[in-house]
Amino acid sequence: THCPFKKNMSNDRRWTKSIASFVPFLNFLLLIHCFIPSHSLTTGTTTAPPATTSSSRTASSWTIPKNVKFGKLSNLEFLPIQDDDGTNMKDETTTALVEESQRIKVATAAIGLNFADVFTVLGLYKAANLVRTGNNGKDTSNSGGGILDPFVPGIEFAGVVLEGNGDFTKGDRVFGFTRFGAYSDIVSTRPEFIRKIPNKWSFEQGAAFLVNALTAWHGLVNVGGMPDLLSKHRKKNDNGNQKDIYVVVVHSASGGVGLWASEIAARRGAVVVGVVGSEEKKDTFMKRVGTLCNGDAAQCIVRSNNARDFDRDLAEACQKARHLSQRSSGGGVSSTAAQQQQSLPFFSTCLQTAEAGYGADLVMECYGGKYFAPSMEVINPGGSLSTYGATTYNDSGLGEGIPFVSLILNYIRRPRVDPGELTGRNIRVGGFNLIFLTENIDLLVTSLDGCVQCLCRNDEDDDDSIHDFDEMMEQVNPPLVGSVFPFRVVDGVGGGGAVDALKALRSGNTVGKVVLDNNDNPALC
């Protein structure tokens, strides 16, 4: 029978669904509110006591002071190291802590900057937010009450061993990785997280390698599942021609991670399509990566601000890379293929390109936003996308704090991944955070070994041979250091040093690695 309330009940269900779908967004707004600096909410000062400015000869670190919330780059202050042991901070891994006697203490000579540092200081990095509370991962202080511990950002450094242990002795030149705390004159970290700097490398180059190269390797191989196309058992087919054509798209291909991802992919036999932000960055990519790919097959496009144009440009670049690689693979191409080459592109969209098998086999994705959908659509059946960031959430044109308006709009418009599409197209999407490796030491060590062995490879190498790590590192091309800023500042507060370096990194105008020079570290004397 007819129910007079049926229509109203249906409307109520739809309204309930709408409210339910809006709950994650409300939680997101609450999360943002938690990290607004206290001094931005009132016309008064912060709740933190006045900071003590560090002198140039005092062991110091760039620190978010006690009870000062994340939220602005200028909240960083150059302060004397406070810990009793004279280091930046204790080990923050959530697994079993390493006894202090087993750790390596290093005087830093250079500190490498990563985009994660920007998000950390802005309060958008969950792992850092949990560290500050001292509540074993239970974040209570930012939602009201509690104490925020002082915090030293940074995850990458190079310097000189002050107190040796195991394979490292006092005076060794090393580069290393730490779970926060690298923006400091002295770092204490686990021995598994450091390695010796090659003799021909500077400290700045040492601080520019580990995190970016390890991120690239983990994303390509561990998450993306990229095969080694040049391994001994895959290198040639029965006719002596290259067996596979494998296309890898790399976002931000002239940046620290992007250059290493492009080089690793090329050295494992892939053809690389780089995506960069300007013509100048395109030149940087081609000089470093272009000669590593078959003939002139490597491609690089300048990222368009228009999503449709980006979709078209990426589709064309993947098609061109595959055909040029086929032409230079040793077997030549048919006359029909040669004629088709003159009429590229065959397909005008990424999805059409992938459906025909002319797309990418793996995408290293870090833009997010409007660039995510075309990057996923260009993946061939059986391919994968590995995402490790979303730089479109950063808006460098809105000052040094959190760009709340654009952040909220980008969140509303954030990409959605439909599981049905993944199964229907037979593709994979995976994300990762490199801090995860600090809790999986075995994977970190094997990944670093595999990465370095790949980067020191040449055409004469037997890829199954065993190499000493230090010997392999001597054969690796030094990283590109694009910008160097002084670690120490004269006035100590409100600008300079790490603050200016982070602003430069955030601007998107840098290439290669941004590094802080700390050769004036008093701990090195």
Side-chain angles (χ1 to χ4, degrees):
T1 60
H2 173 68
C3 176
F5 302 107
K6 185 174 182 180
K7 181 176 181 181
N8 289 335
M9 291 172 61
S10 177
N11 289 336
D12 288 344
R13 282 195 296 269
R14 286 196 295 267
W15 176 240
T16 301
K17 283 186 177 180
S18 298
I19 293 176
S21 65
F22 200 64
V23 166
F25 177 62
L26 294 177
N27 291 333
F28 174 74
L29 291 180
L30 179 60
L31 176 65
I32 291 177
H33 171 73
C34 291
F35 303 120
I36 300 176
S38 56
H39 55 70
S40 69
L41 297 177
T42 69
T43 57
T45 59
T46 71
T47 57
T52 302
T53 301
S54 175
S55 71
S56 61
R57 305 311 300 168
T58 302
S60 307
S61 62
W62 284 95
T63 305
I64 301 290
K66 182 178 179 179
N67 285 343
V68 173
K69 292 184 179 182
F70 291 132
K72 294 178 66 177
L73 299 182
S74 61
N75 285 353
L76 279 170
E77 298 183 13
F78 191 58
L79 305 175
I81 293 175
Q82 299 295 323
D83 284 358
D84 293 337
D85 65 352
T87 62
N88 52 331
M89 63 195 310
K90 301 293 193 295
D91 192 307
E92 300 294 350
T93 53
T94 57
T95 55
L97 297 179
V98 177
E99 293 293 334
E100 190 63 31
S101 61
Q102 299 176 0
R103 298 160 67 84
I104 307 294
K105 189 177 290 188
V106 178
T108 61
I111 296 95
L113 272 65
N114 295 278
F115 218 88
D117 301 345
V118 175
F119 282 91
T120 294
V121 177
L122 293 181
L124 303 175
Y125 206 69
K126 181 179 179 181
N129 298 327
L130 297 179
V131 164
R132 296 201 69 190
T133 66
N135 290 319
N136 296 322
K138 297 178 181 179
D139 189 0
T140 60
S141 61
N142 276 334
S143 58
I147 295 174
L148 287 172
D149 291 335
F151 181 85
V152 179
I155 57 177
E156 184 170 27
F157 62 90
V160 176
V161 173
L162 293 177
E163 297 177 8
N165 187 14
D167 295 333
F168 302 96
T169 59
K170 183 177 180 179
D172 283 345
R173 299 169 71 248
V174 297
F175 61 86
F177 178 44
T178 182
R179 187 183 172 95
F180 309 121
Y183 287 20
S184 179
D185 281 332
I186 303 173
V187 175
S188 178
T189 192
R190 302 176 62 127
E192 297 94 338
F193 293 177
I194 65 174
R195 296 290 187 275
K196 293 179 181 178
I197 299 177
N199 293 324
K200 62 183 178 181
W201 287 23
S202 67
F203 284 118
E204 288 79 11
Q205 290 170 328
F209 174 72
L210 195 152
V211 169
N212 288 163
L214 199 55
T215 299
W217 176 271
H218 186 64
L220 288 169
V221 179
N222 298 337
V223 178
M226 181 185 176
D228 186 355
L229 303 169
L230 299 183
S231 63
K232 188 165 60 177
H233 60 280
R234 293 192 57 151
K235 194 169 184 181
K236 301 289 183 179
N237 63 17
D238 293 338
N239 297 324
N241 296 326
Q242 185 171 326
K243 184 177 181 179
D244 300 301
I245 296 176
Y246 193 95
V247 175
V248 174
V249 171
V250 178
H251 286 189
S252 194
S254 64
V257 175
L259 284 173
W260 285 122
S262 300
E263 182 170 346
I264 291 170
R267 289 187 181 278
R268 287 173 72 88
V271 183
V272 182
V273 175
V275 184
V276 297
S278 68
E279 288 293 337
E280 293 77 14
K281 293 184 177 185
K282 185 176 180 179
D283 293 338
T284 300
F285 169 84
M286 294 305 295
K287 288 177 182 178
R288 180 93 183 193
V289 180
T291 58
L292 296 175
C293 296
N294 280 340
D296 55 355
Q299 301 295 307
C300 189
I301 63 172
V302 177
R303 183 185 68 186
S304 172
N305 287 326
N306 182 283
R308 286 189 179 182
D309 291 343
F310 176 74
D311 184 280
R312 180 201 62 220
D313 294 344
L314 183 59
E316 181 176 354
C318 288
Q319 294 171 57
K320 188 174 182 181
R322 191 170 294 276
H323 277 270
L324 290 176
S325 181
Q326 182 183 8
R327 186 177 65 185
S328 58
S329 62
V333 296
S334 66
S335 58
T336 302
Q339 293 173 359
Q340 289 177 332
Q341 173 68 36
Q342 305 301 319
S343 60
L344 278 172
F346 308 140
F347 310 101
S348 59
T349 69
C350 285
L351 189 57
Q352 293 172 347
T353 301
E355 288 174 342
Y358 286 89
D361 300 291
L362 194 157
V363 177
M364 277 288 285
E365 197 277 333
C366 68
Y367 290 145
K370 59 189 173 185
Y371 303 106
F372 185 89
S375 300
M376 192 174 82
E377 289 174 352
V378 83
I379 302 171
N380 288 332
S384 61
L385 180 145
S386 182
T387 180
Y388 60 99
T391 58
T392 52
Y393 275 79
N394 169 65
D395 191 337
S396 58
L398 293 177
E400 62 177 36
I402 301 175
F404 288 107
V405 175
S406 63
L407 192 65
I408 292 171
L409 291 175
N410 284 330
Y411 179 83
I412 295 172
R413 298 190 295 243
R414 70 192 185 282
R416 306 296 206 279
V417 176
D418 178 7
E421 181 181 358
L422 301 183
T423 55
R425 294 181 53 204
N426 192 30
I427 61 175
R428 306 184 306 279
V429 173
F432 69 96
N433 180 332
L434 196 67
I435 290 293
F436 157 76
L437 289 183
T438 63
E439 301 181 9
N440 193 330
I441 305 300
D442 290 341
L443 180 58
L444 187 152
V445 172
T446 57
S447 295
L448 184 56
D449 289 345
C451 173
V452 171
Q453 187 164 7
C454 169
L455 289 171
C456 76
R457 169 188 284 168
N458 58 53
D459 292 339
E460 288 75 34
D461 275 343
D462 178 358
D463 60 352
D464 291 329
S465 62
I466 299 175
H467 299 277
D468 175 76
F469 185 91
D470 293 339
E471 292 178 359
M472 290 192 296
M473 280 298 303
E474 294 291 344
Q475 301 177 50
V476 175
N477 291 329
L480 172 64
V481 177
S483 304
V484 179
F485 289 79
F487 178 78
R488 318 192 83 74
V489 294
V490 176
D491 56 3
V493 179
V499 177
D500 284 351
L502 287 171
K503 288 179 180 177
L505 178 62
R506 190 184 184 193
S507 73
N509 295 323
T510 60
V511 296
K513 189 75 167 183
V514 179
V515 173
L516 291 169
D517 174 12
N518 195 24
N519 279 298
D520 293 333
N521 184 351
L524 291 171
C525 299

